[in-house]
Amino acid sequence: MTRIYLDYAATTPTHPEVVKEMLPYFTDAFGNPSTIYSYGQEARAAVEEARGRVARLLGAAAEEVCFTSGGTESDNFALQGVAFANEDRGNHIITSEIEHHAVLETCKFLEKKGFKVTYLPVDDYGLVDPADVKKAITGKTLLVSIMHANNELGTIQPLAEIGKITRAAGIYFHTDAVQTVGHIPLDVQNLGVDLLSLSAHKLYGPKGVGALYIRKGTKIASFLHGGGQERGRRASTENVPGIVGLGKAAELAGHELQSECPRLTALRDKLIADLRERIDHTTLNGHPTKRLPNNVNVSIDFVEGESILLNLDLEGICASTGSACSSGSLEPSHVLLAAGCSHERARGSLRFTMGRSTTAAELSKVLEVLPPIVARIRAISPLLKKKG
Ligand SMILES: *Cc1c(COP(=O)(O)O)cnc(C)c1O
């Protein structure tokens, strides 16, 4: 059975050209970039070339890019690093209720260390209101952290507007852009951010490597203590093959953005329309247009997301749900609930995230198999009976 992968927000396959570019750095060019003989210098040059490639994708300067072990570390580094380095200026952080756990759990940790955190609500589309950011700022606010696009809903936040507010208030602004870097055009100057997290495996690079953009002049405490790598900000011998892979992935993404964005947007809008037409009681989660080009998130009433996922898996189709069991917790997704979804709707949520190899034919296959699956589940559903 050919598999249809529609979970690109969870991870992406490493691009063959990325793998090809990484391979020599495991074997022939294995040197430690901190050594002065040519082996080491070869590795050093590769790391610096990758840094330039990532910087170009972000509109940043190369020295503003710090490599990390992924999106989670970048988020931890940004929040903890800015909080601990600027304690003399205040103790207040502003974020949103729909952030990734890498941000939310770091905020909870910082609360235990004495910081105060405001968790801003979102509207029914999952949008943060910049006016709420402005209202939440106090004389003690150090940092605002609002994600660029939500990994579940796909909703894209008005970062540039928020950036103007933080800039005027002289407050640091961080964004988790793991879902947008390499997927939509972005520029750290236009967004007005001081720190930005990204992860290679969400943009066709390898797992276990990412980066944090740190605007020049930002006061931030180093994250890993040890050697002086990454300008003293993150000790540990560089993950040279991983960094080379991230650099190549960033370069490829830069080339493909212009054609991929409109192609995926058209597939997205058609899939949303077709799902709503063919399956009654289906609603779109997230914003209809301020939305990642590759994200479709719908709630199908009177069914459980997990039952649908298991049935789709039997047909070779990989998707995701914000419902409880699949994510290993008892509560449905905090994101869907924050965006005004009832528990019932959240349980029937289904997310398809598309990518470079997604075709219209694959989506036709989904539309062929999904309605009968839903009909079968509804026929035996206690949820439907309850409604009468
Ligand atoms: C995947 C993801 C992360 C975590 O990145 P890792 O590299 O897997 O640690 C953080 N934030 C968002 C929005 C994500 O989608």
Side-chain angles (χ1 to χ4, degrees):
M1 182 165 47
T2 49
R3 273 197 297 183
I4 298 180
Y5 184 75
L6 291 168
D7 202 14
Y8 284 85
T11 193
T12 59
T14 309
H15 195 291
E17 280 187 49
V18 169
V19 175
K20 196 171 139 212
E21 193 127 331
M22 290 170 71
L23 284 177
Y25 296 94
F26 288 104
T27 51
D28 295 343
F30 68 88
N32 184 325
S34 297
T35 54
I36 59 166
Y37 40 79
S38 55
Y39 259 140
Q41 288 315 296
E42 215 177 336
R44 163 65 49 210
V47 166
E48 295 316 318
E49 185 178 353
R51 200 185 306 280
R53 285 170 163 178
V54 172
R56 263 195 296 287
L57 188 63
L58 305 178
E63 65 269 23
E64 294 175 313
V65 173
C66 179
F67 291 114
T68 67
S69 67
T72 300
E73 184 186 317
S74 295
D75 286 342
N76 271 266
F77 183 12
L79 273 76
Q80 293 186 49
V82 167
F84 291 131
N86 296 278
E87 279 181 282
D88 55 325
R89 288 177 49 186
N91 68 346
H92 180 227
I93 295 165
I94 299 169
T95 187
S96 83
E97 288 177 355
I98 62 161
E99 298 298 311
H100 191 271
H101 286 295
V103 166
L104 289 179
E105 293 300 320
T106 305
C107 284
K108 282 191 200 149
F109 167 76
L110 288 169
E111 282 182 295
K112 283 194 203 122
K113 297 283 167 191
F115 291 89
K116 302 268 178 278
V117 182
T118 300
Y119 300 89
L120 295 176
V122 293
D123 69 10
D124 287 355
Y125 293 129
L127 282 169
V128 172
D129 184 348
D132 288 345
V133 175
K134 195 167 182 178
K135 269 184 265 169
I137 293 174
T138 73
K140 298 224 160 182
T141 308
L142 292 175
L143 175 70
V144 172
S145 179
I146 304 287
M147 71 200 313
H148 195 189
N150 185 267
N151 43 303
E152 293 182 46
L153 293 173
T155 302
I156 300 173
Q157 301 295 341
L159 290 196
E161 279 178 67
I162 298 171
K164 286 197 187 97
I165 294 165
T166 54
R167 187 64 47 90
I171 294 166
Y172 288 125
F173 184 21
H174 165 254
T175 190
D176 175 335
V178 170
Q179 289 291 334
T180 53
V181 171
H183 294 275
I184 58 173
L186 66 82
D187 183 299
V188 290
Q189 314 308 340
N190 293 342
L191 296 178
V193 294
D194 303 299
L195 303 115
L196 177 148
S197 303
L198 64 95
S199 173
H201 78 95
K202 303 284 177 83
L203 64 133
Y204 306 92
K207 292 166 181 65
V209 60
L212 180 65
Y213 158 76
I214 307 169
R215 184 180 292 280
K216 196 163 181 277
T218 301
K219 226 175 126 193
I220 185 163
S222 47
F223 192 65
L224 282 181
H225 307 279
Q229 290 91 350
E230 296 298 292
R231 307 163 76 83
R233 284 171 165 170
R234 187 198 191 263
S236 182
T237 301
E238 295 85 346
N239 170 7
V240 179
I243 289 169
V244 166
L246 169 54
K248 186 64 183 174
E251 187 194 57
L252 291 172
H255 293 327
E256 295 188 16
L257 267 178
Q258 297 307 330
S259 55
E260 273 298 271
C261 273
R263 186 185 80 86
L264 289 171
T265 303
L267 289 178
R268 175 195 78 188
D269 291 343
K270 182 166 186 325
L271 181 58
I272 292 170
D274 287 346
L275 286 170
R276 294 172 81 173
E277 191 191 298
R278 301 215 196 156
I279 305 169
D280 55 2
H281 300 287
T282 298
T283 44
L284 178 67
N285 294 314
H287 198 280
T289 54
K290 292 172 186 168
R291 178 179 203 100
L292 286 170
N294 72 336
N295 175 296
V296 172
N297 188 324
V298 292
S299 280
I300 302 176
D301 288 352
F302 321 122
V303 294
E304 297 277 350
E306 296 93 62
S307 324
I308 298 190
L309 284 195
L310 291 174
N311 281 279
L312 283 176
D313 187 40
L314 295 175
E315 304 279 351
I317 298 168
C318 313
S320 163
T321 172
S323 84
C325 304
S326 62
S327 56
S329 73
L330 293 171
E331 281 287 293
S333 148
H334 67 288
V335 173
L336 292 170
L337 297 181
C341 246
S342 64
H343 274 64
E344 207 168 64
R345 277 251 161 102
R347 280 208 297 270
S349 73
L350 204 54
R351 182 190 71 181
F352 298 104
T353 44
M354 307 173 293
R356 281 195 196 137
S357 23
T358 304
T359 60
E362 288 183 330
L363 302 182
S364 299
K365 173 78 179 169
V366 171
L367 286 161
E368 191 184 300
V369 304
L370 185 56
I373 289 174
V374 171
R376 256 194 339 262
I377 297 172
R378 278 180 176 168
I380 54 163
S381 169
L383 299 172
L384 187 57
K385 290 208 187 86
K386 206 167 57 192
K387 286 267 163 173

